[in-house]
Amino acid sequence: MNWTSLLRVYLTRSFKPFVFEGTYENTLDFEKLDDLGLYVHIPFCRSLCSFCPYCKVVHNKPQADAYKIALLKEIDLVCKGMSGKKKATSLYFGGGTPAMMLDDLKDIIAKLKEYFDITGGIGVELHPSDITERNLEKLKEAGVTMLSIGIQSFQEECLRKIGRRNDAFVEKIGLVRSSGFEVIDVDLIFAIPGQTDAILASDIHTAFASGATQVSTYPFIDFTFADNAYKPMSEAVKREMLEHLTEYCRKEGIERTSVWTFAQRHTEKYSSVTRDAFLGFGVSATTLLKDAFKINTFSIPAYIERIGSGNLPTSLTLRFTKRQRAVYYLFWSAYAMRIDADRFEELIGIPLKRMFGLELFLATKSGYLKKKGRVYELTDKAALLFHGVEQAYTTAYIDKMWHISRLQPFPEKIILK
Ligand code: SF4
């Protein structure tokens, strides 16, 4: 048994693995959930990047048109039984490249607004080549307030190694800034071969100096199904780079908002994953309910066909045990560097201390957690540890799950040990 399995067994106090069954239901039980987020996946890109693990295909108009019809219908299918409009705290569009369906976003947003009051912002991931004055205007007209720009690096050599090229990045971020978007996230990758701490610090500086309100720094992960010409640097180097970039941000007065994100003080966060419940629409989108986690099929034709037959496109469903749900909550709270004992009890129905009292005590004594009232905050030392944990589970769980889902539209079962 490897250490990721051992940790799962220890935290869930059970040998039962995470079992994703190839079953689905046509009714999702979400009406009573609070802090509900919405996510829409647009799986089209102009061309495909070698390092990218996400569910995407090269754009073609007829397929994108059929996809839009299916997406609108999926929203109706999920929401048809609602007793009234429900509050949703956020809406994020990811991909793929959502701008490949730029003219359709307003219709998708309008459809969601038939069922939800979206109280927080609306965020869209943007490829730098889609940043033009006209496109930014269209996004604003559609109600978008937050953008996440996939820059990855400002340095030519690093970009070349991941199959990208610089396309007036600084000017484009500046254009986004002057267009008045409230939140501007810039995605950067670290541990690209040849990248140094100085290059990374300069990238972070450039991002903020050009107008970013947040920088997300993701470690270069070599997914088994990616086609990377260059491999990431070693885990030890990744750790050191994260440590140094954290020190750099602290020195510059930039706030750490999660293990891999840093933001200017008093700005809103761009974060689609740290929600206690969310509904996902589109291929590969995931849905988190009180006691279940669902994944839509990764296949666009299968998605369109299933919805065409009046059924939801769920390909896999995990029904959490109480402990598994608690561990899932802790995992994403730890990523956001903040474990709220009251929120835990509301969601799980058992006091946090009763379930994990010994672990909290030891982690606090060893300098991994700081208790502030009812909240446990992760220290930088804990974040460094969690960085390793998150990467290990990305390889052990997400890589496996996505690999199978790319090959089979509706797998019978996936077991994550
Ligand atoms: S990195 Fe972005 S543009 Fe490249 S394939 Fe992935 S989603 Fe598409």
Side-chain angles (χ1 to χ4, degrees):
M1 201 182 262
N2 54 30
W3 73 263
T4 48
S5 306
L6 281 174
L7 186 60
R8 174 189 55 76
V9 168
Y10 174 69
L11 290 176
T12 60
R13 312 286 199 266
S14 162
F15 285 98
K16 187 177 174 4
F18 290 104
V19 181
F20 287 80
E21 304 274 1
T23 55
Y24 71 99
E25 288 138 13
N26 275 330
T27 309
L28 303 182
D29 190 11
F30 64 89
E31 268 210 89
K32 290 202 188 81
L33 302 175
D34 55 3
D35 190 23
L36 183 76
L38 304 173
Y39 173 79
V40 177
H41 193 82
I42 306 292
F44 302 106
C45 294
R46 207 166 278 106
S47 59
L48 305 184
C49 307
S50 58
F51 63 89
C52 173
Y54 297 109
C55 178
K56 77 281 169 185
V57 296
V58 173
H59 176 260
N60 80 77
K61 180 88 170 85
Q63 192 176 44
D65 289 346
Y67 185 76
K68 177 189 172 182
I69 294 168
L71 198 50
L72 296 177
K73 190 161 177 201
E74 186 191 7
I75 298 168
D76 281 332
L77 286 172
V78 168
C79 302
K80 65 181 179 226
M82 287 169 69
S83 53
K85 265 201 182 187
K86 179 162 175 57
K87 182 177 133 184
T89 50
S90 59
L91 165 60
Y92 286 92
F93 286 86
T97 306
M100 299 306 304
M101 288 177 65
L102 187 56
D103 292 326
D104 300 312
L105 296 188
K106 63 176 184 318
D107 295 338
I108 300 166
I109 294 170
K111 172 59 77 182
L112 285 164
K113 283 187 171 173
E114 286 177 22
Y115 299 104
F116 299 98
D117 282 323
I118 302 165
T119 55
I122 299 180
V124 171
E125 286 173 7
L126 210 52
H127 190 285
S129 57
D130 291 311
I131 299 176
T132 63
E133 266 182 55
R134 183 73 197 107
N135 284 353
L136 294 173
E137 256 172 51
K138 284 185 185 177
L139 287 164
K140 289 202 90 173
E141 280 162 19
V144 173
T145 53
M146 307 184 285
L147 293 177
S148 172
I149 309 167
I151 294 288
Q152 320 310 354
S153 176
F154 290 93
Q155 212 244 5
E156 292 292 349
E157 190 53 19
C158 289
L159 286 168
R160 188 184 66 74
K161 288 189 174 151
I162 56 169
R164 285 274 187 104
R165 60 182 182 80
N166 197 325
D167 180 16
F169 288 166
V170 168
E171 292 75 9
K172 288 191 168 176
I173 300 170
L175 182 60
V176 172
R177 180 73 181 176
S178 60
S179 304
F181 286 90
E182 287 161 25
V183 177
I184 306 167
D185 170 70
V186 164
D187 280 355
L188 298 174
I189 294 180
F190 69 93
I192 302 169
Q195 194 180 36
T196 61
D197 289 330
I199 292 173
L200 191 54
S202 156
D203 276 358
I204 295 170
H205 172 80
T206 306
F208 282 115
S210 320
T213 57
Q214 173 179 309
V215 167
S216 301
T217 53
Y218 298 109
F220 186 11
I221 297 177
D222 186 28
F223 283 83
T224 51
F225 48 85
D227 182 24
N228 289 311
Y230 293 84
K231 299 296 168 195
M233 291 197 274
S234 71
E235 288 310 314
V237 174
K238 278 186 189 174
R239 262 177 73 93
E240 261 175 43
M241 289 189 94
L242 180 60
E243 210 172 354
H244 293 155
L245 79 88
T246 305
E247 277 164 21
Y248 171 80
C249 288
R250 288 247 184 271
K251 222 170 54 220
E252 296 295 307
I254 302 161
E255 193 180 6
R256 186 175 212 171
T257 48
S258 79
V259 171
W260 291 332
T261 57
F262 299 84
Q264 283 181 347
R265 289 185 189 278
H266 313 300
T267 54
E268 291 296 318
K269 284 187 216 167
Y270 189 103
S271 166
S272 57
V273 286
T274 47
R275 293 279 174 291
D276 294 336
F278 48 83
L279 295 176
F281 302 95
V283 284
S284 79
T286 55
T287 290
L288 174 66
L289 303 173
K290 188 169 170 29
D291 50 16
F293 186 82
K294 290 164 182 280
I295 305 172
N296 278 355
T297 181
F298 276 49
S299 156
I300 298 173
Y303 172 81
I304 293 170
E305 200 186 316
R306 175 73 81 78
I307 290 173
S309 68
N311 294 302
L312 291 189
T314 313
S315 68
L316 291 159
T317 301
L318 163 70
R319 285 183 182 76
F320 290 114
T321 63
K322 205 174 259 303
R323 280 256 173 198
Q324 286 178 341
R325 184 66 180 89
V327 169
Y328 182 96
Y329 174 80
L330 286 186
F331 184 88
W332 287 109
S333 296
Y335 176 71
M337 300 193 59
R338 203 174 177 280
I339 301 167
D340 185 326
D342 290 332
R343 188 68 187 135
F344 179 94
E345 195 170 337
E346 266 170 44
L347 271 177
I348 311 298
I350 297 176
L352 176 64
K353 255 192 169 170
R354 196 187 308 158
M355 236 187 205
F356 295 107
L358 176 66
E359 291 80 1
L360 292 169
F361 172 77
L362 293 176
T364 308
K365 281 281 168 218
S366 327
Y368 288 98
L369 293 177
K370 266 192 196 149
K371 191 163 187 286
K372 288 192 180 161
R374 298 279 295 152
V375 172
Y376 293 86
E377 287 183 359
L378 269 76
T379 60
D380 284 341
K381 180 173 150 180
L384 212 50
L385 185 72
F386 190 84
H387 150 86
V389 170
E390 172 136 14
Q391 282 195 99
Y393 282 102
T394 299
T395 309
Y397 288 4
I398 297 179
D399 188 299
K400 181 177 177 184
M401 175 78 76
W402 288 0
H403 187 69
I404 296 172
S405 296
R406 285 157 63 99
L407 299 173
Q408 300 171 37
F410 297 106
E412 221 171 275
K413 188 184 267 195
I414 298 181
I415 298 176
L416 301 179
K417 294 183 177 162

